[in-house]
Amino acid sequence: MKAKFLTGCRYAAAIVLAIATAGCSLLPGGKDQAPEPTAPSLSEVVEVSEDYYGSITPYKPNLTRGMLSSTRYRIDFSHLELGLMEFARDTFPTSEYYFQEGQVVKKEQVAQWIAQEKASGTNGQQKNGILVHVLEHDYLNKKDKQLAGMVLGLSVSPNYQDATGKEMVYTRQELQAKGQQLAATIVSTLRVSTPNVPMLILLYQVPEANSSLVPGHFIMSGTVAANDSAVSKWQPIDEEFFLFPSADVEKKYAQQSLQYDKLMRQAQAYFGEYVGMTGVGRFMDGRLTELTITATAEYDSRTEVLQFTQYAAGSINQLFDKSVHVNLYVQSMNKPLAIYIRPTSGEPYMHLYRQ
């Protein structure tokens, strides 16, 4: 069963907060045999559905909460958290498991891993280290409410300094290899306290430092079976995000770039005034699967907003294939005005804010 995965949507964080509202004791055990991790997968988008994890009270926050305030890296938590849940569904069905914020990995442990990884470089390399953060999600068996599965998101950065202090960047393949080495250390440590709990490991590459709109992306997933002390299988993930319009997307995905440029020209010609339109496209295996557009202008009336949104929706349907999930947000400088959502299956949805 796959939920479709939506990234870039501004309400994604609200969805996460709604479904992750509880906690409980995390003593490993349980009488049922632990499930073997399946090959996890990341589907294209998350549609609105009722297939969310249940929860129990009282709520316990994640033990590593607040750690990112001391890092220079930006992490898109909406994309990261929903991605972890998407992978979890393949092994821990929502009908059989509760969700709980991570209660095993502590701040002190993450800080130690980061320090150890920084010191592991040779010849002065890796002074910054690649490990940025570790996010844990726990899954509890509904029968006894005991810890029955874990998903770990390892946020990694490709940036490092060489022996001379020069800033360098690992290639995707190099970062994947180093991420696997890092995961081996972390899994080995966690096996002391959770020897029988199956795990899913995700490597999440943080966004570039100068990128405020484009989120990070997943680059690899791994599975750890119950009673195993190491990752048994790794799978690469081909996920990319591009800003529209930009020279980068024009260079790599010229057709999609031309389609977006035409959408902007049509929208601005219809409105008669300047309309700022910024898009973020998600590509899976080289194919555009989701496009999130934010249109900003000063509108004089709600009827003007309605007409513009309807026109833009029509242009979207003409220019972009039905296999692309599209989110359109219409706003003024200080408040949202309308939204239009076109899913890959089902009917499109449009809403006009009254205030």
Side-chain angles (χ1 to χ4, degrees):
M1 173 183 59
K2 288 186 177 180
K4 292 184 175 179
F5 182 74
L6 174 64
T7 74
C9 287
R10 297 186 174 178
Y11 54 79
I15 297 175
V16 172
L17 291 175
I19 58 182
T21 56
C24 79
S25 172
L26 283 182
L27 296 176
K31 300 172 183 171
D32 296 332
Q33 184 178 0
E36 292 299 315
T38 59
S41 59
L42 192 68
S43 56
E44 296 171 1
V45 291
V46 160
E47 308 289 6
V48 176
S49 77
E50 301 302 322
D51 186 27
Y52 295 132
Y53 285 101
S55 57
I56 57 179
T57 57
Y59 168 73
K60 294 182 180 180
N62 198 298
L63 295 184
T64 60
R65 176 176 290 184
M67 288 195 71
L68 288 178
S69 60
S70 61
T71 180
R72 66 188 180 97
Y73 297 98
R74 181 180 70 85
I75 295 180
D76 189 319
F77 250 69
S78 298
H79 183 35
L80 176 59
E81 290 185 306
L82 287 176
L84 298 189
M85 289 183 173
E86 169 66 17
F87 274 90
R89 286 190 176 99
D90 289 319
T91 298
F92 312 116
T94 57
S95 60
E96 300 177 19
Y97 296 88
Y98 291 119
F99 170 87
Q100 179 171 259
E101 298 271 13
Q103 298 294 299
V104 175
V105 179
K106 299 179 175 62
K107 289 183 180 181
E108 296 78 10
Q109 181 64 79
V110 176
Q112 182 179 355
W113 283 329
I114 292 175
Q116 290 175 343
E117 197 270 327
K118 283 183 178 180
S120 66
T122 58
N123 299 323
Q125 291 186 356
Q126 250 176 267
K127 292 182 180 179
N128 292 336
I130 66 167
L131 182 61
V132 176
H133 186 259
V134 178
L135 179 64
E136 171 197 353
H137 281 177
D138 295 334
Y139 294 90
L140 313 180
N141 193 306
K142 284 189 174 182
K143 293 181 180 180
D144 54 21
K145 299 180 182 178
Q146 296 298 305
L147 178 62
M150 294 175 63
V151 179
L152 295 177
L154 310 185
S155 296
V156 295
S157 170
N159 301 305
Y160 71 98
Q161 293 177 337
D162 64 13
T164 65
K166 182 180 179 180
E167 293 290 335
M168 305 290 287
V169 179
Y170 288 120
T171 66
R172 181 185 182 91
Q173 291 74 23
E174 290 173 336
L175 188 61
Q176 288 174 332
K178 291 186 174 295
Q180 291 178 57
Q181 297 172 3
L182 177 63
T185 299
I186 291 175
V187 170
S188 177
T189 302
L190 292 178
R191 272 307 185 225
V192 176
S193 59
T194 57
N196 304 316
V197 179
M199 299 179 184
L200 303 178
I201 312 295
L202 265 69
L203 300 183
Y204 175 82
Q205 183 174 333
V206 299
E208 295 181 6
N210 60 354
S211 173
S212 60
L213 296 175
V214 178
H217 56 280
F218 294 101
I219 60 174
M220 184 160 276
S221 67
T223 59
V224 184
N227 300 312
D228 282 355
S229 59
V231 178
S232 59
K233 183 178 181 180
W234 284 102
Q235 291 188 129
I237 301 174
D238 185 5
E239 181 184 43
E240 297 177 291
F241 287 88
F242 285 89
L243 183 67
F244 285 85
S246 69
D248 289 340
V249 74
E250 182 179 1
K251 181 179 179 180
K252 188 165 185 178
Y253 297 104
Q255 180 180 352
Q256 289 78 9
S257 179
L258 289 172
Q259 291 172 327
Y260 189 85
D261 289 344
K262 187 173 182 179
L263 173 65
M264 286 198 306
R265 291 196 301 271
Q266 291 180 350
Q268 291 171 354
Y270 175 82
F271 190 60
E273 298 179 17
Y274 175 77
V275 179
M277 295 185 68
T278 301
V280 176
R282 180 171 185 253
F283 293 80
M284 294 292 293
D285 298 320
R287 184 171 62 89
L288 179 63
T289 61
E290 181 189 0
L291 178 62
T292 298
I293 304 167
T294 301
T296 305
E298 289 303 319
Y299 300 89
D300 294 328
S301 68
R302 282 297 186 273
T303 54
E304 188 176 30
V305 173
L306 175 62
Q307 293 298 311
F308 173 82
T309 306
Q310 289 177 326
Y311 181 84
S315 296
I316 288 170
N317 293 333
Q318 291 176 0
L319 294 171
F320 293 96
D321 191 86
K322 297 295 184 181
S323 62
V324 180
H325 178 108
V326 180
N327 313 291
L328 170 65
Y329 299 96
V330 182
Q331 63 181 29
S332 63
M333 295 300 295
N334 56 4
K335 62 181 178 181
L337 298 174
I339 60 173
Y340 171 74
I341 307 296
R342 192 195 71 177
T344 56
S345 61
E347 294 298 320
Y349 169 78
M350 187 173 76
H351 175 73
L352 184 70
Y353 292 94
R354 293 182 178 272
Q355 300 193 12

